[in-house]
Amino acid sequence: MVSLKLQKRLAASVLKCGKRKIWLDPNEVNEISMANSRQNIRKLVKDGFVIRKPTKIHSRARTRKAHEAKSKGRHTGIGKRRGTREARLPTKLLWMRRMRVLRRLLKKYRDAKKIDKHMYHEMYQKSKGNVFKNKRVLMEAIHKAKSERAREKSIADQYEARRTKEKAARERKIARREERLALGPAALEQDKK
C-alpha cells in the first residue's frame, strides 16, 4: 500500500479544507501516488479522483421540537426540575421587574403632569416599601389619592369662601354701625321710628 500522506496534504491545501475532508479514490491509488505537485492534484480533482467530502449535517429539528413543547409547558413537571425554585426564577428578579414597571409608570405620569413631584415621591417610596403588588393597584392608588386631594381642596376652597364672605359681612356691619354713630343720636331715634 502506497502512502498518500503528501497527496492528502496537498489536496487539503488546494481544496481549502482539512485533511479529514479529503477522499482519495482507492481504485486509482497508483495514479494518485504519482501526483507530487499542486498542479497534478488539481488535475486529479478535475478528473474526480480526489474529492472534497460534504460537511456533515447536525440537525436541530429535534431540539427545536423539544423547545416548542417546553414553551407550551410540557416536560416541566416536578420530576424534570433540578434547581430550587429560587434558582429557577429568583425572587429578586421578580422584584426588579415589578419595581421597573411601577417606576416607569410613575415617571410617565409625572412627565404627563398627571401627578406632581410630591405625589411622585410619595408613591415612589411606597412602591419601594412593597405597598403595591402590581401596576393596576398603583394606578388605583394614584386615582384615589388624586380624588382625595381634589375633595380636600374643594372643601378648603368652600371654607375659605365662607370665611371671606363672613368677613365682608362683618366689615359691612361695622361700617354701618360707625356710620350711624357718626350721624348722632337723632339718626338713631329716626331709625327706631
Side-chain angles (χ1 to χ4, degrees):
M1 182 72 191
V2 188
S3 172
L4 302 175
K5 215 171 180 182
L6 168 73
Q7 285 75 9
K8 190 164 266 199
R9 180 175 64 76
L10 291 175
S13 176
V14 166
L15 295 172
K16 295 187 175 62
C17 64
K19 282 182 280 193
R20 66 204 290 265
K21 281 269 180 277
I22 299 296
W23 177 83
L24 305 173
D25 194 338
N27 302 324
E28 305 293 337
V29 172
N30 291 331
E31 195 164 334
I32 293 170
S33 65
M34 300 292 286
N36 59 1
S37 68
R38 287 165 206 275
Q39 190 65 47
N40 294 349
I41 294 291
R42 281 195 199 95
K43 186 176 179 299
L44 292 173
V45 169
K46 195 177 165 194
D47 295 342
F49 298 156
V50 175
I51 297 172
R52 177 181 175 168
K53 289 184 201 169
T55 53
K56 289 202 170 76
I57 292 169
H58 183 192
S59 173
R60 279 192 58 79
R62 286 184 299 279
T63 313
R64 280 198 208 98
K65 192 178 171 190
H67 274 304
E68 196 179 328
K70 254 191 177 176
S71 70
K72 289 177 181 173
R74 315 286 185 269
H75 320 295
T76 53
I78 304 292
K80 288 284 182 184
R81 298 177 196 173
R82 297 298 293 273
T84 60
R85 180 188 290 170
E86 185 67 20
R88 287 164 67 87
L89 185 60
T91 48
K92 182 174 183 179
L93 185 70
L94 295 172
W95 171 262
M96 276 159 47
R97 280 182 193 164
R98 180 158 46 127
M99 280 303 102
R100 284 172 184 170
V101 166
L102 298 180
R103 287 174 182 177
R104 205 179 299 127
L105 179 76
L106 285 172
K107 190 170 181 294
K108 194 173 93 175
Y109 271 25
R110 185 184 60 183
D111 293 343
K113 301 280 190 292
K114 285 187 180 178
I115 56 173
D116 61 349
K117 63 180 182 180
H118 303 294
M119 189 183 279
Y120 170 86
H121 184 67
E122 185 189 327
M123 293 298 173
Y124 189 100
Q125 295 292 55
K126 280 188 174 178
S127 300
K128 189 181 178 183
N130 201 15
V131 174
F132 312 116
K133 70 173 186 176
N134 56 35
K135 193 165 149 182
R136 182 176 53 78
V137 175
L138 174 59
M139 284 167 82
E140 282 172 8
I142 288 171
H143 293 315
K144 194 175 175 186
K146 277 175 77 175
S147 62
E148 188 68 31
R149 284 194 184 180
R151 197 172 67 85
E152 283 173 9
K153 191 173 182 295
S154 69
I155 289 169
D157 289 348
Q158 285 171 12
Y159 180 67
E160 192 62 39
R162 198 183 315 131
R163 270 182 61 190
T164 52
K165 194 177 171 186
E166 285 170 3
K167 194 177 178 188
R170 211 179 304 121
E171 283 172 357
R172 279 202 304 276
K173 198 173 180 185
I174 291 166
R176 272 207 305 273
R177 191 180 295 154
E178 284 175 356
E179 205 177 289
R180 277 200 225 114
L181 287 171
L183 289 170
L188 286 170
E189 288 293 325
Q190 203 132 19
D191 280 353
K192 282 177 184 174
K193 286 177 186 177

